[in-house]
Amino acid sequence: MNQSHASSPLAGAVHDLATEVVLALRSGDHLATVCGAAGIDEDNRTGIAAVRVIGADLLLPSVLHGHHPHPGDIAVLHRAVREFPPRPDASDAAVWSHWGMLSALHRTASVPGRPPAVAPGGDEPNAAWLEGAAWQAFSHQLSVLAPLAVPAASSAVHRAAAHRVVDLSRGFVRAVRRRNWLQAAGVGRWLAALDGLPDTLGLDRGLDFVELMGGPDPRVALHVRAARLMSEGRAR
């Protein structure tokens, strides 16, 4: 782990974990364990907290490359769900992020001998808070919820995004102009998963620029790589 990119043990663990997700996205290696490569197991509480930050994207390589995730990664994600449930005063985005983790677990094969984190088919959280949000706030919130932007997934957040592609496009341009590379990458990932992009947006070139300028933050590379893989899949 490069300490220059880590202001705390948790930040360092998030950096390492995101880096391993990016490497798995690039290689498509279905035998690798993302958590193991990042030095995280079920007894590493800082690592478990980092998994909570990364959220459902821990299993993203298996989703986008079409293979079963490593059992070790599933086990650690189960632990993160149990250890860090949303607090009563949690933000709507935090509640949806937790729901995204549960949904990711429900889409995977069961781990032998391990009960599910919750019963499948849990209700979606309320998404009414997105309906009246200004395009700036809407784009920001969707960037935070970028791990929900995966193929063949449906939720109220997806439906809201599909109805506001122009607003997300404006948000992408705004984030680039403000040099907020992580937000731009997250919004760009949503746009790659949606239909109806404005012809003038130039998303592919924009993502190239975001990745270049995003520099050392592997979370930027994670969202950009996810966007590219989804775009390639939709083009086939």
Side-chain angles (χ1 to χ4, degrees):
M1 185 256 298
N2 188 337
Q3 292 290 343
S4 65
H5 303 319
S7 58
S8 69
L10 176 58
V14 170
H15 181 277
D16 290 352
L17 185 59
T19 297
E20 294 302 332
V21 173
V22 172
L23 291 174
L25 287 172
R26 289 174 176 164
S27 70
D29 185 359
H30 67 284
L31 298 177
T33 164
V34 172
C35 288
I40 294 171
D41 58 34
E42 291 185 79
D43 298 321
N44 182 336
R45 187 164 178 79
T46 299
I48 298 300
V51 170
R52 179 62 190 89
V53 174
I54 295 296
D57 276 344
L58 179 67
L59 304 186
L60 185 62
S62 65
V63 172
L64 295 184
H65 289 298
H67 55 65
H68 293 298
H70 193 283
D73 291 338
I74 296 176
V76 174
L77 190 57
H78 269 281
R79 182 67 179 270
V81 165
R82 295 195 306 272
E83 291 288 325
F84 297 99
R87 298 179 303 185
D89 60 346
S91 68
D92 292 305
V95 173
W96 268 100
S97 176
H98 185 78
W99 180 88
M101 295 167 67
L102 294 175
S103 296
L105 286 169
H106 294 328
R107 288 193 297 266
T108 64
S110 300
V111 178
R114 180 180 296 277
V118 297
D123 293 337
E124 290 184 358
N126 190 314
W129 54 285
L130 287 173
E131 294 177 3
W135 65 269
Q136 298 92 331
F138 183 79
S139 297
H140 168 70
Q141 294 296 335
L142 266 289
S143 73
V144 173
L145 294 175
L148 297 181
V150 293
S154 178
S155 70
V157 175
H158 285 79
R159 293 187 287 275
H163 288 122
R164 299 185 66 174
V165 174
V166 172
D167 283 345
L168 286 174
S169 299
R170 296 170 70 188
F172 177 75
V173 173
R174 180 175 185 264
V176 170
R177 288 176 173 172
R178 293 166 66 92
R179 304 178 70 84
N180 188 334
W181 310 121
L182 182 57
Q183 183 172 322
V187 175
R189 174 173 166 179
W190 275 106
L191 290 170
L194 300 172
D195 294 319
L197 296 188
D199 294 336
T200 56
L201 180 61
L203 181 61
D204 289 341
R205 293 191 302 274
L207 287 171
D208 287 343
F209 183 69
V210 168
E211 185 175 35
L212 175 65
M213 299 302 293
D217 190 343
R219 296 174 300 168
V220 171
L222 190 162
H223 292 319
V224 171
R225 183 60 182 164
R228 287 176 175 152
L229 287 171
M230 286 191 289
S231 295
E232 291 169 5
R234 287 161 61 85
R236 294 193 186 103

